[in-house]
């Protein structure tokens, strides 16, 4: 969460999972010798309680329950440098004084250690399910715990380094500390920094606000409603009473500023204000609005996404602060996502461009373009890809028991399971492909491009439709993979337990990767960059970073389909008004599922979401039906291109050659220069 210009540490908005608790709840957690406990770095974090007004008129948060945040440091070495920083993690602890020995000896074992149990809950699971009130409260506690511990640490470091002149020098704080809010989850850093500066350090509102505003910046990662958090004012006031007061004051001053300085925007205040009381029974705090109002800079993570923020989501704020909004296209590290996970391809790249400096200067990959038609490079490139595919096939066999053919087209979609990412479109396409194969003669099948479709990812605990999609993929695979008439030409595999280590096997072995979200809904994506870097060709929509990837690798080396972002609203309106006419192929795929061909599970709720019963209140909100025919046509183009091996390998080479822009080195350098205002510190 923090970047400091001359303090060599980093605070992390991540909890350290307690090993004992992890074992109790059945999580696999291996001891890490790199986690160094810092028993000298402990901060109090308060919940509940009330606000007292002191004789001098100042306010202080007292009472409630107080946990301890214990620091753990993980050393993070640089690449080919002498530098290392510490990634600071936090563990929630209760003190020995919080254990009631009398209750324990009286047989009240659970009551005697309630605070210890509540402390363990905070670090047990990142992003706990929030379908219940208890889940919402735990998530809010987790967010605040991490924000408070990190901010207290930053202030302590600042005061330690400036001990001889900290008085009157708080104005230097923003030049030494930068707090980057990674989406809305750490938004509570804003009122917590204000509270610490005012209530603990004695600053007035204006000075504390100036410091906070110049310290905090906000990265928006999505336009999805569920990610633009809205917290109940009632829950917030109960758990964090002082912070609710501060948020109310921020909102009040923002509204007054708009009325006094931007009279023309007065009619927009209701949508721009932080506190939303439009439903008196459920008043909420709009966390994204609080971020925009309180940050000196707001950025999106791809050009298309940043434009949507400026033109749609935050358009009214742009009228007030036109220079506040920027774009910072995401990036990935080539050290992990090519050199480490794909050594075969890495050696070939180094050989042909005659340097290994591409690992820290990814633009050097453009040197491959002049060899894109070289037959020797083609042969080496194909051999490296085949080696990666064989490694992936072994992983699939070990993990699922399914045997896949390394000479088939490896078609992979791995990402969080969500309706907007449209794994449902992918599996419907596989269902349609299966149906067509079943209708073909033996001679016709000989002309088919054999394909292995792999889908992997995790679904949020309470996201029912996402779980149904996972179930459907598995059910389709169980039928297709055991059908002797078809399984030489099509396999469907759900990759279990998807994580970074699994991705390091999947991505190098991929040949086609699906990034098929509804246009305008994916902020950026980074797996698309990893796939392209590894010479994988993308089939996708003009969404997120796909737009920039297509520009960099060349339009001919990207399989494009689907509605554009500026068409989506009109297409949804047409759907509502009954103007949409589904493609017969779309209807065939749905009907085959309804027929029971893939088992007896009731998929009607999932299919209803495509027809008029979406959880978002409108049928087929994510335009699966509209984009289906274009998707099938694009897949036909994929089949044709893959048969031309020379053409396909050239496309693969040019994808790698065009990936230079998507290095995280470039991204972080832009953040440092254009948002954090820090300069590199070279080490001789």
């Amino acid at each position: 969460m923090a970047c400091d210009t001359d303090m060599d540490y980093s605070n992390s908005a991540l909890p350290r999972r307690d090993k004992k608790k992890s074992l109790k709840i059945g999580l696999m957690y291996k001891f890490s010798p790199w986690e160094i406990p810092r028993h000298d770095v402990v901060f109090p974090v308060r919940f509940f309680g009330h606000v007292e007004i002191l004789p001098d008129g100042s306010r202080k948060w007292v009472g409630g329950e107080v946990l301890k945040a214990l620091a753990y440091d993980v050393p993070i070495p640089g690449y080919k440098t002498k530098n290392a920083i510490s990634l600071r993690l936090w563990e929630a602890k209760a003190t020995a004084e919080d254990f009631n020995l009398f209750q324990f000896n009286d047989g009240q074992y659970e009551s005697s250690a309630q605070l210890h149990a509540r402390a363990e809950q905070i670090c047990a699971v990142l992003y706990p399910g929030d379908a219940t009130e208890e889940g919402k409260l735990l998530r809010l506690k987790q967010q605040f715990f991490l924000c408070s511990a990190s901010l207290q640490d930053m202030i302590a470091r600042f005061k330690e380094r400036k001990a001889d002149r900290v008085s009157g020098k708080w104005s230097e704080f923003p030049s030494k500390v930068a707090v980057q809010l990674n989406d809305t989850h750490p938004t509570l850093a804003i009122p917590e920094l204000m509270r610490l500066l005012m209530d603990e350090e004695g600053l007035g509102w204006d000075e504390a606000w100036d410091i906070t505003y110049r310290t905090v910046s906000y990265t928006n990662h999505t336009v999805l409603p569920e990610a633009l958090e809205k917290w109940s004012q009632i829950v917030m006031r109960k758990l964090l009473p002082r912070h609710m007061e501060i948020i109310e004051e921020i909102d009040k001053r923002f509204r007054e500023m708009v009325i006094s300085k931007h009279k023309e925007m007065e009619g927009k205040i209701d949508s721009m204000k932080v506190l939303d009381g439009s439903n008196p029974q459920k008043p909420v705090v709009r966390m994204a609005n609080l971020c925009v109002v309180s940050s000196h800079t707001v950025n999106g993570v791809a050009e298309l996404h940043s434009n949507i923020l400026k033109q749609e989501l935050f358009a009214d704020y742009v009228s007030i602060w036109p220079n506040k909004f920027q774009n910072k296209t995401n990036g990935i590290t080539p050290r992990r996502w090519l050199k480490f996970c794909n050594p075969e391809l890495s050696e070939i790249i180094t050989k042909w461009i005659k340097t290994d400096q591409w690992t820290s200067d990814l633009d050097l990959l453009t040197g491959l373009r002049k060899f894109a038609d070289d037959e020797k490079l083609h042969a080496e490139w194909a051999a490296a890809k085949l080696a990666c595919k064989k490694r992936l096939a072994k992983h699939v066999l070990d993990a699922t028991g399914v045997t896949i053919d390394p000479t088939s087209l490896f078609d992979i979609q791995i990402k969080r399971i969500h309706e907007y990412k449209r794994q449902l479109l992918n599996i419907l396409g596989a269902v349609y492909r299966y149906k067509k194969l079943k209708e073909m003669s033996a001679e016709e099948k000989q002309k088919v491009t054999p394909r292995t479709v792999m889908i992997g990812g995790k679904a949020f605990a309470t996201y029912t439709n996402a779980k149904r999609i996972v179930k459907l993929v598995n059910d389709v695979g169980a039928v297709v993979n055991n059908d002797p008439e078809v399984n030489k030409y099509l396999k469907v595999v759900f990759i279990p337990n998807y994580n970074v280590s699994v991705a390091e096997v999947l991505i190098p072995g991929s040949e086609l990767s699906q990034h098929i979200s509804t246009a305008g809904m994916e902020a950026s994506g980074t797996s698309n960059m990893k796939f392209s870097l590894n010479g994988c060709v993308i089939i996708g929509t003009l969404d997120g970073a796909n737009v920039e990837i297509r520009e960099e690798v060349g339009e001919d080396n990207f399989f494009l389909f689907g509605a554009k972002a500026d068409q989506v609203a009109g297409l949804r309106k047409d759907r509502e008004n009954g103007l949409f006419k589904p493609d017969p192929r779309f209807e065939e795929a749905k009907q085959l599922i309804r027929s029971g061909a893939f088992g007896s599970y009731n998929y009607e709720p999932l299919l209803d979401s495509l027809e008029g019963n979406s959880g978002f209140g409108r049928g087929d909100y994510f335009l699966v039906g509209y984009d289906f025919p274009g998707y099938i046509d694009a897949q036909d183009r994929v089949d044709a291109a893959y048969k031309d091996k020379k053409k396909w390998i050239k496309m693969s080479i040019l994808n790698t050659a065009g990936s230079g822009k998507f290095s995280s080195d470039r991204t972080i350098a832009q953040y440092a220069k254009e948002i954090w205002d820090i300069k590199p510190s070279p080490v001789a």
Side-chain angles (χ1 to χ4, degrees):
M1 188 174 75
C3 176
D4 193 324
T5 55
D6 66 359
M7 301 179 193
D8 294 332
Y9 75 101
S10 175
N11 281 286
S12 171
L14 287 174
R16 178 188 174 274
R17 289 185 298 177
D18 183 87
K19 297 177 179 65
K20 294 178 182 177
K21 182 64 178 177
S22 295
L23 291 172
K24 288 176 185 176
I25 62 176
L27 294 176
M28 293 297 293
Y29 186 86
K30 295 181 180 179
F31 170 74
S32 172
W34 299 110
E35 286 185 355
I36 303 167
R38 293 293 306 274
H39 295 289
D40 58 323
V41 182
V42 181
F43 297 102
V45 179
R46 187 183 306 274
F47 301 104
F48 305 109
H50 62 279
V51 179
E52 283 188 355
I53 301 177
L54 302 180
D56 63 357
S58 61
R59 309 176 82 83
K60 194 166 186 67
W61 183 22
V62 298
E65 64 182 39
V66 180
L67 300 178
K68 301 294 183 183
L70 171 64
Y72 283 74
D73 283 346
V74 179
I76 308 294
Y79 178 72
K80 290 187 176 181
T81 73
K82 300 176 183 179
N83 300 342
I85 64 170
S86 290
L87 173 66
R88 181 150 286 178
L89 309 178
W90 299 101
E91 181 179 13
K93 306 281 285 185
T95 65
E97 291 77 16
D98 295 318
F99 180 78
N100 191 320
L101 184 60
F102 295 104
Q103 285 186 333
F104 187 86
N105 287 331
D106 193 38
Q108 302 176 53
Y109 304 124
E110 293 184 2
S111 299
S112 65
Q114 280 187 348
L115 197 57
H116 287 265
R118 287 197 287 270
E120 287 185 332
Q121 289 171 1
I122 288 176
C123 292
V125 177
L126 185 64
Y127 301 137
D130 58 358
T132 65
E133 289 304 311
E134 293 81 2
K136 290 182 174 67
L137 188 63
L138 178 58
R139 182 177 282 211
L140 192 60
K141 288 178 76 172
Q142 188 182 75
Q143 292 182 359
F144 177 68
F145 172 82
L146 297 168
C147 289
S148 180
S150 297
L151 287 167
Q152 290 184 72
D153 193 25
M154 293 178 218
I155 288 174
R157 293 287 187 108
F158 177 77
K159 292 171 69 174
E160 179 184 0
R161 301 291 177 89
K162 307 292 180 183
D164 58 334
R165 55 191 182 93
V166 72
S167 178
K169 292 292 184 178
W170 279 103
S171 60
E172 294 183 14
F173 188 81
S175 68
K176 302 301 180 184
V177 178
V179 175
Q180 190 74 38
L181 303 181
N182 203 26
D183 229 338
T184 55
H185 304 111
T187 305
L188 289 169
I190 295 164
E192 174 65 353
L193 182 54
M194 289 290 292
R195 182 192 73 83
L196 290 168
L197 292 172
M198 291 190 297
D199 299 359
E200 304 298 328
E201 303 300 333
L203 276 62
W205 177 278
D206 291 340
E207 187 177 7
W209 176 253
D210 177 68
I211 292 167
T212 299
Y213 190 85
R214 291 191 293 122
T215 299
V216 174
S217 46
Y218 164 50
T219 299
N220 174 278
H221 281 275
T222 181
V223 298
L224 287 177
E226 67 261 33
L228 299 174
E229 295 177 299
K230 296 179 182 180
W231 283 104
S232 162
Q233 293 183 29
I234 296 170
V235 172
M236 185 81 72
R237 197 180 307 278
K238 176 183 177 182
L239 185 68
L240 304 169
R242 179 64 176 126
H243 299 76
M244 193 62 209
E245 288 185 346
I246 293 170
I247 292 169
E248 288 173 336
E249 185 66 18
I250 291 172
D251 186 53
K252 172 176 167 289
R253 291 179 180 234
F254 169 70
R255 287 185 282 110
E256 290 174 348
M257 181 274 292
V258 172
I259 292 171
S260 64
K261 296 184 178 181
H262 300 276
K263 196 75 175 176
E264 73 283 0
M265 300 297 296
E266 191 170 348
K268 301 290 184 67
I269 286 180
D270 282 349
S271 63
M272 298 171 70
K273 64 185 181 181
V274 176
L275 300 178
D276 179 11
S278 57
N279 182 347
Q281 277 69 49
K282 294 183 178 180
V284 296
V285 181
R286 295 164 168 159
M287 305 304 268
N289 292 24
L290 179 57
C291 287
V292 175
V293 168
S294 309
S295 300
H296 65 81
T297 304
V298 176
N299 72 277
V301 290
E303 287 181 8
L304 175 64
H305 172 234
S306 296
N307 288 336
I308 290 172
L309 294 184
K310 290 187 286 187
Q311 296 166 12
E312 298 177 25
L313 190 65
F314 299 140
D316 293 333
Y317 297 105
V318 174
S319 300
I320 297 174
W321 296 297
N323 298 320
K324 177 179 282 198
F325 296 84
Q326 298 185 10
N327 173 61
K328 296 289 172 282
T329 298
N330 278 337
I332 57 170
T333 168
R335 272 82 66 183
R336 175 177 293 276
W337 293 112
L338 185 52
K339 184 177 176 61
F340 172 75
C341 73
N342 198 339
E344 295 91 349
L345 196 61
S346 297
E347 289 179 9
I348 292 169
I349 291 168
T350 297
K351 172 186 173 181
W352 282 82
I353 66 173
K354 294 182 169 53
T355 179
D356 65 355
Q357 294 302 305
W358 58 267
T359 55
S360 52
D361 182 3
L362 204 58
D363 286 331
L364 291 173
L365 292 182
T366 57
L368 289 168
R369 286 176 176 154
K370 62 185 176 184
F371 304 114
D373 291 305
D374 192 292
E375 291 184 2
K376 290 182 180 179
L377 176 58
H378 278 221
E380 293 178 19
W381 200 273
K385 180 61 72 173
L386 182 59
C388 293
K389 291 176 71 178
K390 288 180 177 178
R391 187 161 57 242
L392 172 51
K394 183 181 184 303
H395 172 80
V396 170
L397 179 61
D398 293 343
T400 70
V402 178
T403 300
I404 59 176
D405 180 5
T407 65
S408 66
L409 170 60
F410 278 13
D411 171 353
I412 299 177
Q413 184 183 23
I414 44 173
K415 52 184 76 245
R416 179 167 55 95
I417 310 296
H418 198 291
E419 288 166 283
Y420 91 84
K421 293 179 182 287
R422 300 202 295 190
Q423 286 91 351
L424 185 53
L425 175 59
N426 186 345
I427 194 60
L428 284 169
V431 167
Y432 179 75
R433 181 178 290 266
Y434 174 68
K435 183 177 184 295
K436 293 295 107 179
L437 281 165
K438 292 291 286 183
E439 295 169 356
M440 289 181 185
S441 66
E443 292 75 19
E444 289 172 321
K445 287 176 186 173
Q446 294 301 317
K447 300 176 184 178
V448 168
T449 300
R451 184 183 297 230
T452 301
V453 177
M454 290 172 257
I455 299 175
K458 293 180 179 177
F460 188 64
T462 56
Y463 191 174
T464 305
N465 255 9
K467 298 293 183 77
R468 290 182 178 125
I469 292 169
V470 173
K471 169 71 171 166
L472 179 58
V473 174
N474 280 280
D475 284 351
V476 171
V479 172
V480 171
N481 301 341
N482 291 289
D483 187 334
E485 296 179 358
V486 168
N487 59 18
K488 287 195 298 185
Y489 309 101
L490 177 64
K491 289 280 182 76
V492 175
V493 182
F494 184 82
I495 305 295
N497 300 318
Y498 175 64
N499 56 33
V500 170
S501 297
V502 174
E504 289 169 352
V505 179
L506 288 166
I507 291 171
S510 63
E511 294 176 290
L512 180 75
S513 184
Q514 304 206 27
H515 301 273
I516 55 178
S517 51
T518 312
M521 302 202 74
E522 183 72 83
S524 167
T526 52
S527 68
N528 46 5
M529 303 170 187
K530 297 166 190 171
F531 280 103
S532 188
L533 179 63
N534 279 268
C536 179
V537 184
I538 290 175
I539 179 172
T541 53
L542 283 178
D543 196 25
N546 280 2
V547 177
E548 293 160 77
I549 290 173
R550 184 168 175 261
E551 290 172 355
E552 295 295 317
V553 306
E555 295 180 6
D556 293 339
N557 305 306
F558 185 109
F559 293 100
L560 178 67
F561 76 96
K564 296 180 180 179
D566 59 5
Q567 297 175 302
V568 168
L571 291 170
R572 285 177 177 151
K573 195 69 177 175
D574 288 348
R575 187 74 173 78
E576 286 181 55
N577 295 333
L579 300 178
F580 170 68
K581 302 299 180 186
D583 188 275
R585 294 170 290 181
F586 182 54
E587 295 303 298
E588 287 178 39
K590 290 188 296 178
Q591 185 54 42
L592 188 59
I593 296 170
R594 285 194 168 104
S595 73
F598 305 107
S600 59
Y601 182 81
N602 179 21
Y603 283 109
E604 282 305 318
L606 184 61
L607 298 174
D608 281 350
S609 72
L610 302 175
E611 296 176 349
N613 230 350
S614 171
F616 284 76
R618 296 182 292 276
D620 199 12
Y621 184 78
F622 300 103
L623 302 182
V624 175
Y626 179 85
D627 278 348
F628 188 82
Y631 173 74
I632 296 299
D633 292 343
Q635 290 287 17
D636 288 343
R637 298 199 303 274
V638 169
D639 289 337
Y642 193 73
K643 289 176 181 176
D644 184 344
K645 295 302 181 185
K646 183 176 180 179
K647 176 181 179 180
W648 188 271
I649 292 174
K650 181 178 180 179
M651 293 173 71
S652 175
I653 293 168
L654 291 174
N655 264 269
T656 298
S659 294
K661 175 180 178 178
F662 305 106
S663 171
S664 55
D665 298 337
R666 185 266 313 156
T667 307
I668 295 303
Q670 289 180 336
Y671 274 98
K673 180 181 179 181
E674 299 166 17
I675 296 181
W676 304 331
D677 191 27
I678 58 176
K679 296 177 175 61
S681 298
V683 177

